[in-house]
Amino acid sequence: LHVDKAPKACENFLKLCRAKYYNNCLVHLVQRGRLFQTGDPTGTGSGGTSVWGLLHGDSRRFFADELRTDLRHDKVGTVSMANAGPN
């Protein structure tokens, strides 16, 4: 994880992991040899919530994007976060 380059996304991911938020999530997209997508507890692929949404309600579900042009998906095991649009 690039905690120094995407601190909010990393904090969100780690805290949701610690809370077992991702346990039993379905895999809803597979592109052979490329990627798989999971992490949506609704199982619809439309997205879940952030750790702040869990703690403080729907108004805190989203957080600002941490887009970085210097980060690449060029290694096996790379983890990233998808979003539904800006912020």
Side-chain angles (χ1 to χ4, degrees), residues 51-69:
V51 68
W52 302 284
L54 286 178
L55 295 172
H56 305 290
D58 220 29
S59 66
R60 300 280 304 275
R61 179 177 173 205
F62 302 108
F63 57 95
D65 292 333
E66 296 177 307
L67 304 174
R68 298 288 300 244
T69 59

Side-chain angles (χ1 to χ4, degrees), residues 70-86:
D70 58 326
L71 296 177
R72 298 277 179 248
H73 292 88
D74 57 359
K75 293 183 176 85
V76 173
T78 300
V79 175
S80 64
M81 184 184 92
N83 68 22

